[in-house]
Amino acid sequence: MFTFRLEPVLKHRKHQEEMLQKELSLLLRKTEQQRSALQCCFEKLARLMDEVQSLQEEGVTISEQILYCDCIERQKLKIDCLEREIAKMENQVDIKRKELLEAVKKRKMMEKLKENKNFAYIEDMLKMEQKLLDEAAVCRFKIGTPAMAG
């Protein structure tokens, strides 16, 4: 029976690949959450701008305008911060994808090696079997020859 001597290495490579897939999935989920938060911030900023517009039409005090301007500035800072965070996370996602791709290549290489070793083992077994059959046929022929002559 064929046993692949590097089976522990193959199992390790599969495990590494699974772990990288989980890490990538987690990063993608977090990135999507940040994008949702960013979208909410944009919507809130748009609402604040609309409120300022409508209040200016109605007539608003300076203190209220300052309050709204501060809110708008804080929202813009939050948006900038989220955009930087998302860019950083997207960079991490790209790195993790490359790591995963490398892990997949390594696993496939080991699987191909296992397949080739298994194929070579089967070929060797078939050759040995054929050799034994040939020897058995030769022995039967040699044993059968004197009996026919006698």
Side-chain angles (χ1 to χ4, degrees), residues 13 16-17 19-21 23-24 27 91-107:
R13 298 242 167 111
Q16 278 182 322
E17 182 181 341
M19 295 305 294
L20 287 168
Q21 283 175 338
E23 291 171 13
L24 178 61
L27 274 172
N91 188 37
Q92 290 173 341
V93 165
D94 288 342
I95 291 168
K96 198 58 70 177
R97 274 194 177 117
K98 288 175 185 173
E99 289 175 5
L100 178 59
L101 183 63
E102 191 62 32
V104 168
K105 286 179 184 177
K106 287 180 179 181
R107 177 191 50 84

Coordinates of all heavy atoms in Angstrom, one line a residue, residues 13 16-17 19-21 23-24 27 91-107:
R13 N 0.3 22.2 5.3 CA 0.0 23.2 4.2 C -1.5 23.5 4.1 O -2.0 24.6 3.9 CB 0.6 22.8 2.9 CG 2.1 22.6 3.0 CD 2.8 23.6 2.0 NE 4.2 23.7 2.3 CZ 5.2 23.2 1.5 NH1 4.8 22.6 0.4 NH2 6.4 23.3 1.8
Q16 N -2.5 25.6 7.0 CA -2.1 27.0 6.8 C -3.1 27.7 5.8 O -3.5 28.9 6.1 CB -0.7 27.1 6.2 CG 0.4 26.9 7.2 CD 1.8 27.0 6.5 OE1 2.0 26.5 5.4 NE2 2.7 27.7 7.2
E17 N -3.4 27.0 4.8 CA -4.3 27.6 3.8 C -5.7 27.9 4.4 O -6.3 29.0 4.2 CB -4.5 26.6 2.6 CG -5.4 27.2 1.5 CD -5.6 26.2 0.4 OE1 -4.8 25.2 0.3 OE2 -6.6 26.3 -0.3
M19 N -6.3 28.5 7.6 CA -6.2 29.7 8.5 C -6.1 31.0 7.8 O -6.7 32.0 8.2 CB -4.9 29.5 9.4 CG -5.0 28.3 10.3 SD -6.4 28.3 11.4 CE -6.1 29.7 12.4
L20 N -5.4 31.0 6.7 CA -5.3 32.2 5.8 C -6.7 32.6 5.3 O -7.0 33.8 5.2 CB -4.3 32.1 4.8 CG -2.8 32.1 5.2 CD1 -1.9 31.7 4.1 CD2 -2.4 33.5 5.7
Q21 N -7.4 31.6 4.9 CA -8.8 31.8 4.3 C -9.7 32.5 5.4 O -10.4 33.4 5.1 CB -9.4 30.6 3.8 CG -8.9 30.1 2.5 CD -9.5 28.8 2.1 OE1 -10.0 28.0 2.9 NE2 -9.4 28.5 0.8
E23 N -8.6 34.2 8.1 CA -8.1 35.5 8.3 C -8.6 36.5 7.2 O -9.0 37.7 7.5 CB -6.6 35.5 8.4 CG -6.0 34.8 9.6 CD -4.5 34.6 9.6 OE1 -3.8 35.2 8.8 OE2 -4.0 33.8 10.4
L24 N -8.5 36.1 6.0 CA -8.9 36.9 4.9 C -10.4 37.2 5.0 O -10.8 38.4 4.8 CB -8.6 36.3 3.5 CG -9.1 37.0 2.3 CD1 -8.4 38.4 2.2 CD2 -8.8 36.2 1.0
L27 N -10.9 39.8 7.7 CA -10.5 41.1 7.2 C -11.5 41.7 6.2 O -11.8 42.9 6.3 CB -9.1 41.0 6.5 CG -7.9 41.1 7.3 CD1 -6.7 40.8 6.5 CD2 -7.8 42.5 8.0
N91 N -5.2 47.3 2.1 CA -3.8 46.9 1.9 C -3.5 45.6 2.6 O -2.9 44.7 2.0 CB -2.9 48.0 2.4 CG -1.4 47.8 2.1 OD1 -1.1 47.3 1.0 ND2 -0.5 48.1 3.0
Q92 N -4.1 45.5 3.8 CA -3.9 44.2 4.5 C -4.6 43.1 3.8 O -4.1 41.9 3.8 CB -4.5 44.3 5.9 CG -3.7 45.2 6.9 CD -4.4 45.5 8.2 OE1 -5.6 45.3 8.3 NE2 -3.6 45.9 9.2
V93 N -5.8 43.4 3.2 CA -6.5 42.3 2.4 C -5.7 41.9 1.2 O -5.6 40.7 1.0 CB -7.9 42.9 2.0 CG1 -8.5 42.0 0.9 CG2 -8.8 43.0 3.1
D94 N -5.1 42.8 0.5 CA -4.2 42.5 -0.6 C -3.0 41.6 -0.2 O -2.7 40.6 -0.8 CB -3.7 43.8 -1.3 CG -4.7 44.5 -2.1 OD1 -5.8 43.9 -2.4 OD2 -4.5 45.7 -2.4
I95 N -2.4 42.0 0.9 CA -1.3 41.2 1.5 C -1.8 39.8 1.8 O -1.1 38.8 1.5 CB -0.7 41.9 2.7 CG1 0.1 43.1 2.2 CG2 0.3 40.9 3.4 CD1 0.5 44.0 3.4
K96 N -2.9 39.7 2.5 CA -3.5 38.4 2.9 C -3.8 37.5 1.7 O -3.6 36.3 1.7 CB -4.7 38.6 3.8 CG -5.1 37.4 4.6 CD -4.0 36.9 5.5 CE -3.7 37.8 6.7 NZ -2.7 37.3 7.6
R97 N -4.4 38.2 0.7 CA -4.7 37.4 -0.6 C -3.4 36.8 -1.2 O -3.5 35.7 -1.7 CB -5.4 38.4 -1.6 CG -6.8 38.5 -1.4 CD -7.5 39.1 -2.6 NE -9.0 39.2 -2.4 CZ -9.7 40.3 -2.3 NH1 -9.1 41.5 -2.4 NH2 -11.0 40.2 -2.1
K98 N -2.4 37.6 -1.2 CA -1.1 37.1 -1.8 C -0.6 36.0 -1.0 O -0.1 35.0 -1.5 CB -0.1 38.3 -1.8 CG -0.4 39.3 -2.9 CD 0.6 40.4 -2.9 CE 0.2 41.5 -3.9 NZ 0.9 42.7 -3.8
E99 N -0.7 36.1 0.4 CA -0.2 35.0 1.2 C -1.1 33.7 1.0 O -0.5 32.6 0.9 CB -0.4 35.4 2.7 CG 0.7 36.4 3.2 CD 0.4 36.9 4.6 OE1 -0.5 36.3 5.3 OE2 1.1 37.8 5.0
L100 N -2.4 33.9 0.8 CA -3.3 32.8 0.6 C -3.0 32.1 -0.8 O -2.9 30.9 -0.9 CB -4.7 33.2 0.6 CG -5.8 32.2 0.3 CD1 -5.7 31.0 1.3 CD2 -7.2 32.8 0.3
L101 N -2.7 33.0 -1.8 CA -2.4 32.5 -3.1 C -1.1 31.6 -3.0 O -1.0 30.5 -3.6 CB -2.2 33.6 -4.1 CG -1.9 33.2 -5.5 CD1 -3.1 32.4 -6.1 CD2 -1.7 34.5 -6.4
E102 N -0.1 32.1 -2.3 CA 1.2 31.4 -2.1 C 0.9 30.0 -1.4 O 1.5 29.0 -1.8 CB 2.2 32.2 -1.3 CG 3.6 31.7 -1.4 CD 4.2 31.6 -2.7 OE1 3.9 32.4 -3.6 OE2 5.0 30.6 -2.9
A103 N 0.1 30.1 -0.4 CA -0.3 28.8 0.4 C -1.0 27.8 -0.5 O -0.7 26.6 -0.4 CB -1.1 29.2 1.6
V104 N -1.9 28.3 -1.4 CA -2.6 27.4 -2.3 C -1.6 26.8 -3.3 O -1.6 25.6 -3.5 CB -3.7 28.2 -3.1 CG1 -4.2 27.4 -4.2 CG2 -4.8 28.6 -2.1
K105 N -0.6 27.6 -3.8 CA 0.4 27.0 -4.7 C 1.2 26.0 -4.0 O 1.5 24.9 -4.6 CB 1.3 28.2 -5.2 CG 0.7 29.1 -6.2 CD 1.7 30.2 -6.6 CE 1.1 31.2 -7.5 NZ 2.0 32.3 -7.9
K106 N 1.6 26.2 -2.8 CA 2.4 25.2 -2.0 C 1.6 23.9 -1.8 O 2.2 22.8 -1.9 CB 2.9 25.8 -0.7 CG 4.0 26.9 -0.9 CD 4.4 27.4 0.5 CE 5.5 28.4 0.4 NZ 5.9 28.9 1.7
R107 N 0.3 24.1 -1.4 CA -0.5 22.9 -1.2 C -0.7 22.1 -2.5 O -0.5 20.9 -2.5 CB -1.9 23.3 -0.6 CG -2.8 22.1 -0.5 CD -4.2 22.4 -0.2 NE -4.8 23.4 -1.0 CZ -5.4 23.1 -2.2 NH1 -5.4 21.9 -2.7 NH2 -5.9 24.1 -2.9

